[in-house]
């Protein structure tokens, strides 16, 4: 039995592993960077060791320091979580050399599955179906281009050492191949220190279905059924669910058997996931899935498997690592349906740019049966630019898929996050989209429906709640609320009407609240919403409104801040700032400058002073939160000033490029 467990990770997964370890009576040790000194996972551990500065390369990726921390604290096992060193064979070997249990597979298994080209060759020998493609050693661009032509477009270029959606490019035509190859190799080299790639046939209308497997030291391997992870953006998973929609007993048997064969081929011990690309052009077929890769660790989406099997995967990991056996296959049953949504600190309205900073307000849904929130942050903390921008995982279970989807949407409705922007509204629209609810899924689902999935920056319902909140109606309680009956000077000789001016972001607008024959109306940004049966509730922080808007019951929480009204509605938290002339002047000036939307490193500067540019032209490329972001010209013009150069660091709001004023250009 493991007595002391060091968790070589941070945030949500560190807390999740710690929760199970504590329940099992295992002492826990956390490691942390200087940026995480006040993080929840540090506070909740029995002991914590500082590794170094904030960058992962100077803290969480320092294998020697983590081993030293384990020795100093008397840890007899290390759980790597996911990411960082979780699939590092050298780290697993270092654990073994120091008589420390690595909670994961052997170094040999990690290496065998770590390089995609070698793994695919191994799978072919094991009889596991693989996607047609080129997995050879010749990395000359001309040779790779010829192989892509032989395979037939569209193709997928993938980093040999890749993972997490990094180093992957879809190419539609031969003319685009070399540029995509160069971009893929550059990203792969930065992320993995290896720029080699392989090429695969891109499966039209693909689905991504994976199988959770577990092996023990006695050579037994079982599966815990499948998960569907088809909903992705830029190859990053967004929504995961179990079981896979449309799965039949025959296809499940074929796919799970293939996954077990894949694990047995490398004598796999511990938790692993075998991922398949699946032909989703019609009904699932026994010959319609192909091995993609094996993740030799616990997956981010493991909670959906736990919700439908009733098993604690971390508990099973710890038992197997200590020499125990896997559960008998015939005892594992599927029950109900579960979905997980990844709540990210990013702004869909601004092209999904990362959003970092303090979490002044952070409220998650209340705990309830069939609902779970896994998070590594709390109110008063912050989203750091140094690590993955995931705030939390929201998991919901229902007896049916539709029940799970609606339960997940309800969880999103109860979120409050401010001032960091999130993808919550985007997630809600996704799980309630008619095609998603009908299980018409593919990895291209989000891209194909992006306009319908990204909410407007402001909608009339939110604006209505902002106006009601601004009136400070907390003393007025009851089933039905008519603001025009308040003795506060609202009534005029004309039809009752109240106007408020707000600023959201850089846009100033007027919200007009009027009274119809049986309802209130609100007009904002050219749209009018009708509100019926408005009710009000006092809350610990602020107050809540519920109204029928366009026939739908909509609830919101309003909080009066010094700058304006914070309205949290359907996953969106929007500050309706009170009109400020200085803010309006700043907004007018914004058309002449390009500011850093987040802290980051300047990767490239594509222009110089005096260059003529066109609207939408990429001027500067930033790297933040492990992703590249191209900043474009807001209008046609001439570069007046550059304040940055490649390799420099910038803070959020820094002016990077200034265009000459329009009147100067005209002169």
């Amino acid at each position: 039995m493991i007595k002391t467990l060091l968790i070589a990770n941070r945030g949500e997964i560190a807390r999740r592993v710690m929760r199970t370890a504590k329940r099992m009576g295992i002492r826990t040790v956390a490691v942390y960077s200087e940026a995480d000194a006040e993080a929840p996972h540090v506070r909740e551990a029995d002991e914590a060791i500082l590794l170094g500065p904030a960058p992962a390369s100077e803290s969480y990726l320092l294998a020697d320091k983590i081993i030293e921390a384990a020795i100093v604290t008397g840890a007899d096992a290390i759980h790597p979580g996911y990411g960082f060193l979780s699939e590092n064979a050298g780290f697993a070997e270092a654990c073994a050399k120091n008589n420390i249990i690595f909670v994961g597979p052997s170094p040999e298994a990690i290496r065998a599955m770590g390089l995609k080209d070698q793994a695919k060759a191994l799978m072919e020998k094991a009889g596991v179906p693989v996607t047609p493609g080129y997995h050879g050693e010749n990395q000359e661009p001309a040779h790779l281009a010829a192989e892509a032509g032989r395979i037939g477009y569209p193709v997928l270029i993938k980093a040999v050492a890749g993972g997490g959606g990094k180093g992957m490019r879809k190419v539609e035509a031969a003319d685009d191949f070399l540029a995509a190859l160069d971009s893929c190799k550059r990203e792969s080299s930065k992320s993995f220190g290896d720029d080699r790639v392989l090429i695969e046939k891109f499966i039209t209308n693909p689905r991504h279905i994976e199988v959770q497997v577990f092996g023990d030291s006695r050579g037994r391997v079982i599966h815990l059924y499948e998960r569907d992870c088809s909903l992705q953006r830029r190859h990053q998973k967004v929504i995961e669910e179990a079981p896979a929609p449309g799965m039949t007993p025959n296809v499940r048997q074929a796919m799970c058997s293939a996954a077990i064969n894949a694990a047995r081929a490398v004598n796999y011990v511990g938790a692993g996931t075998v991922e398949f690309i699946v032909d989703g052009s019609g009904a699932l077929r026994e010959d319609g899935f192909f091995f993609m890769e094996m993740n030799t660790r616990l997956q981010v989406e493991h909670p959906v498997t736990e919700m439908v099997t009733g098993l604690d995967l971390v508990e099973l990991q710890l038992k197997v690592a200590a020499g125990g056996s896997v559960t008998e296959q015939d005892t594992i049953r599927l029950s109900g349906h579960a979905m997980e949504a990844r709540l990210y600190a990013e702004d869909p309205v601004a092209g999904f740019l990362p959003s970092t900073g303090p979490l002044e307000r952070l409220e998650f849904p209340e705990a309830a049966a069939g609902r779970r929130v896994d998070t590594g942050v709390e109110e008063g903390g912050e989203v750091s630019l140094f690590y993955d921008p995931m705030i939390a995982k929201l998991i919901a279970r229902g007896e049916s898929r539709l029940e799970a989807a609606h339960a997940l949407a309800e969880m999103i409705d109860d979120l409050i996050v401010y001032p960091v922007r999130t993808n919550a509204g985007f997630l809600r629209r996704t799980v309630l989209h008619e095609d998603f609810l009908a299980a018409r899924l593919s990895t291209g689902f989000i891209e194909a429906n992006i306009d319908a999935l990204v909410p407007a920056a402001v909608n009339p319902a939110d604006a209505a709640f902002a106006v009601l909140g601004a009136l400070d109606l907390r003393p007025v309680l009851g089933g039905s609320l008519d603001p025009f009956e308040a003795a506060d000077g609202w009534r005029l000789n004309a039809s009752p009407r109240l106007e408020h001016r707000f600023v959201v972001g850089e846009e100033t607008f007027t919200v007009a609240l009027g009274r119809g024959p049986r309802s209130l109306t609100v007009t904002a940004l050219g749209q009018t919403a009708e509100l019926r049966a408005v009710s009000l509730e006092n809350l610990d922080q602020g107050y809540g409104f519920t109204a029928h808007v366009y026939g739908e019951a909509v609830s919101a929480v309003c909080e009066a801040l010094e700058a304006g009204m914070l309205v949290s509605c359907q996953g969106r938290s929007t500050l309706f700032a009170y009109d400020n002339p200085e803010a309006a002047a700043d907004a007018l000036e914004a058309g002449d400058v390009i500011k850093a939307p987040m802290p980051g490193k300047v990767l490239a500067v594509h222009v110089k002073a005096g260059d003529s540019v066109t609207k939408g032209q990429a001027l500067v490329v930033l790297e933040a939160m492990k992703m590249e972001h191209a900043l474009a010209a807001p209008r046609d013009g001439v570069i007046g000033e550059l304040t940055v150069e490649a390799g420099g660091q910038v803070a959020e709001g820094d002016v990077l490029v200034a265009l000459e004023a329009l009147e100067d250009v005209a002169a």
Side-chain angles (χ1 to χ4, degrees):
M1 181 66 181
I2 295 170
K3 295 180 179 178
T4 300
L5 177 69
L6 184 145
I7 304 161
N9 218 295
R10 64 178 299 279
E12 168 266 322
I13 186 58
R15 296 181 82 189
R16 189 267 167 276
V17 172
M18 203 173 295
R19 187 166 64 244
T20 290
K22 285 178 176 291
R23 181 174 56 78
M24 296 174 67
I26 298 173
R27 180 171 169 269
T28 59
V29 178
V31 291
Y32 64 98
S33 70
E34 292 173 356
D36 281 339
E38 303 299 323
H41 81 276
V42 176
R43 183 178 65 249
E44 293 166 4
D46 294 306
E47 188 173 355
I49 300 293
L50 174 66
L51 294 175
S57 60
E58 300 176 44
S59 53
Y60 295 106
L61 290 173
L62 296 179
D64 290 347
K65 277 206 166 185
I66 292 173
I67 295 291
E68 181 183 341
I71 294 172
V72 168
T73 59
D76 50 346
I78 292 178
H79 194 302
Y82 48 69
F84 295 137
L85 296 171
S86 62
E87 295 179 282
N88 186 304
F91 181 59
E93 285 177 335
C95 289
K97 288 179 182 177
N98 287 277
N99 296 315
I100 299 170
I101 297 169
F102 177 76
V103 183
S106 68
E108 293 76 20
I110 295 174
R111 286 196 176 95
M113 290 300 190
L115 297 177
K116 289 182 171 62
D117 54 348
Q118 295 179 20
K120 287 179 184 295
L122 184 62
M123 292 302 98
E124 285 182 304
K125 291 181 181 178
V128 179
V130 300
T131 312
Y134 174 72
H135 313 135
E137 294 294 327
N138 191 334
Q139 293 289 303
E140 289 297 321
H143 180 76
L144 293 173
E147 287 295 328
R150 177 186 62 79
I151 295 165
Y153 289 93
V155 299
L156 200 61
I157 305 174
K158 299 173 68 174
V160 165
K166 300 289 191 302
M168 189 181 300
R169 301 290 186 276
K170 178 186 175 185
V171 187
E172 297 280 2
D175 290 345
D176 302 325
F177 182 83
L178 292 178
L181 176 65
D182 182 62
S183 175
C184 186
K185 280 180 168 288
R186 184 172 64 248
E187 184 174 85
S188 178
S189 179
K190 264 192 313 189
S191 299
F192 313 111
D194 186 341
D195 72 349
R196 292 176 299 153
V197 301
L198 56 84
I199 304 170
E200 291 180 347
K201 177 69 178 174
F202 183 82
I203 305 298
T204 304
N205 204 46
R207 286 176 62 180
H208 180 151
I209 300 177
E210 60 189 31
V211 176
Q212 177 73 61
V213 295
F214 252 97
D216 63 26
S217 57
R218 295 166 177 79
R220 288 180 289 192
V221 181
I222 61 169
H223 70 80
L224 276 63
Y225 300 99
E226 80 283 349
R227 298 183 288 257
D228 192 305
C229 306
S230 297
L231 262 68
Q232 303 175 10
R233 195 185 73 80
R234 295 181 181 172
H235 307 294
Q236 296 268 5
K237 298 168 186 174
V238 176
I239 304 286
E240 301 103 346
E241 57 183 305
M247 183 59 70
T248 67
N250 289 344
V251 176
R252 176 174 287 138
Q253 173 64 30
M255 192 177 291
C256 291
S257 294
I260 287 175
N261 288 340
R264 284 176 174 160
V266 292
N267 299 315
Y268 199 84
V269 176
T273 300
V274 181
E275 304 195 352
F276 297 100
I277 196 75
V278 180
D279 183 353
S281 58
L284 299 180
R285 308 188 319 272
E286 294 173 56
D287 62 349
F289 63 89
F290 309 95
F291 174 85
M292 187 164 55
E293 64 183 352
M294 183 176 187
N295 287 310
T296 53
R297 54 171 168 77
L298 195 67
Q299 292 280 87
V300 177
E301 58 271 21
H302 76 274
V304 295
T305 295
E306 295 183 324
M307 295 286 263
V308 296
T309 63
L311 296 173
D312 183 327
L313 271 63
V314 173
E315 179 180 354
L316 190 53
Q317 276 189 300
L318 296 175
K319 286 181 177 178
V320 166
S325 300
V326 295
T327 306
E328 294 294 332
Q329 183 69 66
D330 58 9
T331 66
I332 304 169
R333 298 283 185 270
L334 279 175
S335 175
H337 200 100
M339 289 185 183
E340 174 182 291
R342 301 189 188 189
L343 181 68
Y344 279 109
E346 61 186 11
D347 186 3
V349 176
F352 293 90
L353 285 176
S355 179
T356 60
L359 291 160
E360 296 175 14
R361 286 287 285 112
L362 180 62
E363 187 172 313
F364 293 116
E366 292 184 4
R371 297 187 179 193
R372 170 175 164 181
V373 177
D374 286 8
T375 183
V377 294
E378 59 190 3
E379 189 169 284
E382 69 172 351
V383 177
S384 170
L385 66 93
F386 294 103
Y387 312 114
D388 186 273
M390 188 169 70
I391 294 174
K393 301 184 305 194
L394 309 177
I395 310 104
R397 181 194 177 278
E399 292 305 312
S400 68
R401 184 172 184 271
L402 286 179
E403 187 178 317
H406 285 288
L408 187 54
E410 290 172 4
M411 292 181 71
I412 294 169
D413 284 346
D414 292 339
L415 283 170
I416 299 176
V417 186
Y418 176 79
V420 168
R421 295 174 291 276
T422 77
N423 65 337
F426 163 78
L427 294 172
R428 185 182 191 276
R429 285 174 169 241
T430 300
V431 298
L432 295 181
H433 192 283
E434 61 179 357
D435 285 342
F436 177 79
L437 293 176
R440 291 188 283 267
L441 308 176
S442 78
T443 57
F445 177 94
I446 288 176
E447 183 179 354
N449 295 285
I450 193 67
D451 291 340
L453 300 180
V454 174
V458 184
N459 79 33
D462 293 354
F465 292 125
V467 172
L468 294 175
L471 297 171
D472 194 7
L473 297 169
R474 280 170 288 185
V476 186
L477 294 173
S480 181
L481 171 68
D482 183 354
F484 296 100
E485 292 182 356
D488 55 8
W490 277 37
R491 281 196 178 278
L492 302 173
N493 292 329
S495 299
R497 179 182 177 88
L498 182 75
E499 292 187 352
H500 273 262
R501 287 177 62 81
F502 291 109
V503 179
V504 175
E506 295 180 340
E507 185 164 9
T508 303
F509 60 92
T510 299
V511 180
L513 190 67
R515 186 175 69 182
R518 293 179 305 277
S519 63
L520 302 177
T521 61
V522 62
T523 302
L525 299 171
Q527 300 181 67
T528 298
E530 184 179 48
L531 285 75
R532 295 175 180 268
V534 181
S535 63
L536 175 67
E537 177 188 8
N538 275 334
L539 304 173
D540 291 339
Q541 298 192 53
Y543 40 103
F545 290 101
T546 300
H548 278 78
V549 187
Y550 299 126
E552 178 188 5
V554 178
S555 297
V557 172
C558 297
E559 300 176 42
L561 306 182
E562 184 176 347
M565 293 304 305
L566 177 64
V567 178
S568 298
C569 179
Q570 296 184 333
R572 303 178 305 273
S573 292
T574 306
L575 179 67
F576 287 79
Y578 301 125
D579 187 17
N580 183 335
E582 293 181 4
D586 290 343
L588 289 174
E589 180 188 351
D592 290 335
V593 298
I594 294 86
K595 297 180 180 179
M598 81 292 281
K601 179 181 179 181
V602 179
L603 291 184
V605 179
H606 296 313
V607 292
K608 60 182 183 299
D611 285 355
S612 295
V613 296
T614 58
K615 182 178 180 179
Q617 179 179 339
L619 307 182
V620 177
V621 179
L622 284 186
E623 180 183 48
M625 288 186 166
K626 302 187 287 186
M627 297 183 68
E628 294 185 10
H629 307 275
L631 306 183
R635 61 169 172 82
D636 294 351
V638 175
I639 302 297
E641 183 182 4
L642 283 171
T643 63
V644 294
E645 59 185 21
Q649 295 284 337
V650 297
E652 181 176 359
D654 284 356
V655 175
L656 311 182
V657 184
L659 300 180
E660 292 185 2
L662 289 172
E663 56 268 25
D664 294 340
V665 175

